[in-house]
Amino acid sequence: MKLSSTRASALSLTPHRSVLLSLGVVALAWLGWAATGDARVQKAPLAAIASPSQLAELGIDAAAVRSGDLVFRRGRSWASEAVDWADEDGELSHVGIALRHRGRVFVVHAAPGEGGGPGDRAGDRADGSAGEAAEEVPVRLEALERFLAPRSASAAALRRLRQVPESGRAVAEQSTRRAAREALGYARYRVPFDDDFDDSTEDRLYCTELVLRAYEAANIQLVSGEPRRLTVPWGPEQVWLPSQLLHSPLLWDPMTWDPRT
């Protein structure tokens, strides 16, 4: 997938047709809380950075993450609420591709602005410092501990490309590294988030589309079949969902077992 940086930077985000539906889901959730909880009690704000112990509670060992691994999370944003509502098989609502750089782990991912408030940033720089706030958020490079911070994630999972007998481990590792480089290119070109969830366009990406296209560039098709058809009003007719990647037979969980045993 080749993209022109000039073309990508000149694009602007268009309103997502399912915003009304998503806002409705959030509004219902808020009303339910207000009806059962004491509005005078304020919860402490969730941390913006996950500690090693908090990552461990999510089942993630940062030292074991490799470039090209898929990092999933169950988010807390309005967009995550909408994905959870639309995906009947959904356990997690968002996914990105891991990238190791100078001993640190980053996640390349495509997401809409998650709230538009303080701390909603375009991503992290390669040295781990926070990027600047932005209204229009392109594909971002974000430190793992920020991607899985308590304020952004309530659950997480890791997946890695399997070693297939006819190709061997070396080919699998080469493919994952190539996919990670492709994903990094999307961040460098600042490819915008695809509000229309349109798989026919290559100059905008949503989260699962980014992962699929990055691996396609490495000659790996992670998911067979077709995108999932949705029956939500005002939304896209079909979309690749995180659950389709999470349960791909080509992926395994390196945090729980060794496929060689």
Side-chain angles (χ1 to χ4, degrees):
M1 173 179 175
K2 298 181 182 288
L3 293 164
S4 166
S5 58
T6 302
R7 182 182 182 188
S9 62
L11 292 169
S12 59
L13 296 180
T14 58
H16 185 6
R17 294 169 293 175
S18 61
V19 166
L20 291 177
L21 175 65
S22 303
L23 290 178
V25 171
V26 175
L28 288 172
W30 183 87
L31 288 172
W33 172 85
T36 57
D38 186 350
R40 294 171 297 176
V41 177
Q42 295 184 356
K43 295 182 179 180
L46 296 172
I49 301 293
S51 66
S53 62
Q54 288 170 327
L55 289 177
E57 290 176 1
L58 292 174
I60 301 296
D61 178 6
V65 179
R66 299 178 185 175
S67 288
D69 284 351
L70 274 57
V71 186
F72 293 82
R73 76 183 181 196
R74 181 189 300 135
R76 302 181 186 275
S77 69
W78 64 264
S80 297
E81 293 283 351
V83 172
D84 287 339
W85 186 86
D87 189 357
E88 296 179 354
D89 301 323
E91 304 168 26
L92 302 160
S93 58
H94 189 50
V95 62
I97 294 183
L99 178 72
R100 294 199 72 94
H101 178 76
R102 296 181 179 177
R104 295 283 305 280
V105 181
F106 296 86
V107 180
V108 183
H109 65 115
E114 298 180 358
D120 186 14
R121 300 179 179 275
D124 289 351
R125 302 182 182 93
D127 62 1
S129 61
E132 296 182 358
E135 293 182 359
E136 295 184 353
V137 183
V139 171
R140 66 185 84 173
L141 176 71
E142 195 163 36
L144 178 68
E145 58 268 25
R146 188 179 295 276
F147 182 79
L148 295 180
R151 75 171 184 184
S152 300
S154 59
L158 194 72
R159 293 291 184 269
R160 182 172 296 162
L161 185 66
R162 287 182 184 275
Q163 169 188 334
V164 293
E166 57 268 25
S167 60
R169 183 189 302 180
V171 173
E173 292 179 352
Q174 182 180 12
S175 297
T176 56
R177 288 194 297 268
R178 182 176 175 184
R181 290 195 299 269
E182 185 76 9
L184 180 60
Y186 302 150
R188 286 175 172 169
Y189 282 131
R190 299 180 62 81
V191 178
F193 180 78
D194 187 355
D195 290 279
D196 292 324
F197 294 84
D198 185 353
D199 296 312
S200 66
T201 61
E202 295 188 358
D203 48 11
R204 300 182 185 186
L205 298 169
Y206 60 93
C207 71
T208 48
E209 184 185 13
L210 180 152
V211 173
L212 290 169
R213 289 193 180 277
Y215 267 88
E216 284 173 0
N219 298 316
I220 300 293
Q221 185 176 353
L222 290 178
V223 178
S224 60
E226 299 294 332
R228 191 75 54 82
R229 297 194 67 84
L230 303 181
T231 58
V232 296
W234 308 298
E237 294 183 358
Q238 58 183 19
V239 64
W240 292 107
L241 292 169
S243 62
Q244 292 177 271
L245 279 171
L246 185 68
H247 302 300
S248 168
L250 294 183
L251 301 173
W252 61 284
D253 183 358
M255 296 292 100
T256 59
W257 63 286
D258 187 337
R260 295 168 295 176
T261 61

